[in-house]
Amino acid sequence: MRKTLGERLAYEGFAIEATDNVKEASEMCRQIAFDVVLTDDSSNASPLGIPFIVLAGASDNQIQRAVAAFRDGAMDYMQIPTDINRLYDTLRRYADEAAPQGEPPLQRIAPPATGRARRTRTPAVQPIIGSSDAIGHVRDVVERVAAFDTRTLITGENGTGKELVARWLHAKSRRSAGPFVEVNCAAIPSELIESELFGHERGAFTSAIKQRKGKFEQASGGTLFMDEIGDMSLAAQAKVLRALQENKICRVGSDKDIDVDVRVIAATNKNLREEIAGSRFREDLYHRLSVIVIRVPPLRERASDVPELTQHFVEEISAAYDISPKPIEPDAMEALTAMRWSGNVRELRNVIERLIILSGDSVTIDDVRNYCQS
């Protein structure tokens, strides 16, 4: 994972140093003025005095680890496998905030002597692949809605591409030059959600050793994407509702309101009307968020798109591994198209990566039979 991330980030214009040794990392940080540390252990990174992001492997105590990471001062907490686009956004946002006054962010390369990791360009948004009527309708709605600051609710099953739709809404909007800030409402412990969204003042609570901007402030002038909004607690929903109503937020530990200029896009895999009926979601917040509703169809409703998606993933994954794209034999493609993809586009991509790794010179029907069964 360390090697893969290093290669991806270097390709995106960052200057990277990597080590698997804590002592060596500490020595490197004394010699090089790093901007950000990526680590799997907040207790190792916190003493360095450098902003850091925790990338944590799967475990049974994710909530406790996330709480510990944020209390130690982490900029963000992500699970492995890491959402690379979310990581790019976090690093880009920090680079923008850290830019010297008057120097255009995202257009500079740090002096080689410092080893500072700076973004030199913004990665293009991945295309919405497919020619089916179902996905064509989604593209059409995106084109019609993007130019307006209308709050939009994106619905659909896990793995259908809700985040991709949100990114296209941002990329085609008048806010495209501003930040795209994502917050996964399901991944943040309830006791930290207010601080994460609205920020906090120094001394607001025991571990608040410095002032921190929340996601609403970070997204000001751009788009805030609130993923898995259906998993947010009722208490947090009430605070978000106020922010949407007044376009103002108040940091934890402060009595001063801060104006924010944010377009909010929310997404969920839940039926929010059923959640409202069960008193698990506020109806007034639902109506605030759902001025426009975009339903992203599951892959089983757009099976004709599987060949296009497959070819796209073959090229993308082959490029990432620096190998020649493997051809997929016609009967193998037919078998892939006929499969029922419970994990949707995300599952299809994982299967294609598996086939590329395990197959021979080409992907055959036998490869599909051997490696595509759950």
Side-chain angles (χ1 to χ4, degrees):
M1 176 59 73
R2 182 175 61 256
K3 181 179 178 181
T4 300
L5 275 178
E7 291 173 348
R8 295 284 296 274
L9 291 170
Y11 177 78
E12 291 295 326
F14 294 94
I16 299 298
E17 296 289 345
T19 178
D20 61 355
N21 183 280
V22 174
K23 185 177 180 180
E24 183 179 346
S26 300
E27 182 62 28
M28 290 168 63
C29 288
R30 281 193 289 269
Q31 297 178 4
I32 302 175
F34 290 111
D35 287 322
V36 179
V37 172
L38 305 183
T39 179
D40 62 353
D41 189 341
S42 59
S43 63
N44 289 331
S46 184
L48 299 174
I50 299 173
F52 65 94
I53 298 169
V54 175
L55 309 179
S59 68
D60 295 331
N61 59 341
Q62 286 292 341
I63 292 179
Q64 293 90 331
R65 293 192 66 183
V67 170
F70 285 117
R71 284 179 176 169
D72 286 340
M75 294 166 57
D76 207 341
Y77 178 92
M78 306 181 195
Q79 291 187 32
I80 295 173
T82 302
D83 181 340
I84 194 69
N85 287 320
R86 179 181 166 192
L87 181 59
Y88 290 157
D89 285 338
T90 301
L91 293 172
R92 177 173 65 87
R93 190 166 61 250
Y94 175 76
D96 290 350
E97 293 175 354
Q101 189 171 5
E103 184 179 348
L106 308 185
Q107 297 180 4
R108 65 195 190 285
I109 301 178
T114 67
R116 290 180 178 270
R118 296 295 195 200
R119 283 299 308 275
T120 58
R121 58 191 174 88
T122 303
V125 180
Q126 291 185 358
I128 299 177
I129 303 294
S131 303
S132 65
D133 291 342
I135 205 65
H137 174 70
V138 172
R139 275 197 296 262
D140 182 58
V141 175
V142 168
E143 291 286 346
R144 293 170 180 267
V145 171
F148 301 92
D149 277 351
T150 310
R151 294 185 189 118
T152 304
L153 178 65
I154 304 171
T155 65
E157 298 175 9
N158 286 329
T160 52
K162 298 187 292 297
E163 180 187 344
L164 180 59
V165 172
R167 288 181 179 276
W168 271 109
L169 286 169
H170 172 73
K172 289 179 172 291
S173 74
R174 63 180 181 85
R175 296 173 175 268
S176 59
F180 178 90
V181 177
E182 178 186 0
V183 55
N184 187 329
C185 301
I188 303 172
S190 57
E191 59 265 38
L192 292 176
I193 189 71
E194 186 176 358
S195 173
E196 186 70 10
L197 290 175
F198 307 122
H200 60 250
E201 296 291 346
R202 180 179 179 180
F205 43 87
T206 303
S207 57
I209 58 176
K210 60 182 179 180
Q211 184 190 78
R212 177 177 177 173
K213 290 183 179 180
K215 299 296 187 184
F216 270 88
E217 279 188 87
Q218 293 170 18
S220 194
T223 302
L224 176 63
F225 176 48
M226 305 184 71
D227 199 9
E228 305 299 350
I229 190 78
D231 292 294
M232 181 180 284
S233 69
L234 288 170
Q237 290 175 34
K239 294 181 173 68
V240 169
L241 178 63
R242 177 182 179 274
L244 296 182
Q245 289 173 333
E246 302 178 7
N247 292 320
K248 294 180 179 180
I249 59 98
C250 182
R251 294 177 187 154
V252 177
S254 173
D255 57 1
K256 179 183 177 182
D257 284 337
I258 299 172
D259 293 326
V260 288
D261 173 24
V262 175
R263 178 186 188 178
V264 173
I265 300 173
T268 183
N269 61 357
K270 293 186 175 181
N271 185 325
L272 291 188
R273 292 195 176 276
E274 291 181 358
E275 296 298 300
I276 292 169
S279 300
R280 294 180 295 273
F281 200 85
R282 294 180 62 111
E283 186 171 9
D284 46 4
L285 178 58
Y286 171 79
H287 290 301
R288 285 279 176 182
L289 293 171
S290 62
V291 179
I292 300 292
V293 178
I294 301 177
R295 177 182 176 269
V296 185
L299 196 51
R300 62 180 175 275
E301 293 181 11
R302 45 181 295 222
S304 61
D305 291 335
V306 169
E308 285 183 66
L309 286 163
T310 297
Q311 190 58 43
H312 170 75
F313 291 141
V314 166
E315 294 171 2
E316 179 184 77
I317 294 165
S318 298
Y321 287 123
D322 195 22
I323 59 176
S324 299
K326 292 184 180 181
I328 297 182
E329 297 184 1
D331 51 356
M333 184 68 79
E334 289 181 11
L336 289 170
T337 303
M339 290 179 64
R340 182 177 179 84
W341 298 99
S342 59
N344 294 300
V345 178
R346 186 180 300 147
E347 182 187 11
L348 174 61
R349 190 195 186 285
N350 292 343
V351 164
I352 299 305
E353 183 168 4
R354 187 186 312 153
L355 288 171
I356 288 174
I357 293 170
L358 298 176
S359 64
D361 294 334
S362 64
V363 177
T364 67
I365 184 64
D366 288 335
D367 292 325
V368 174
R369 290 168 179 162
N370 290 334
Y371 304 129
C372 296
Q373 303 303 318
S374 301

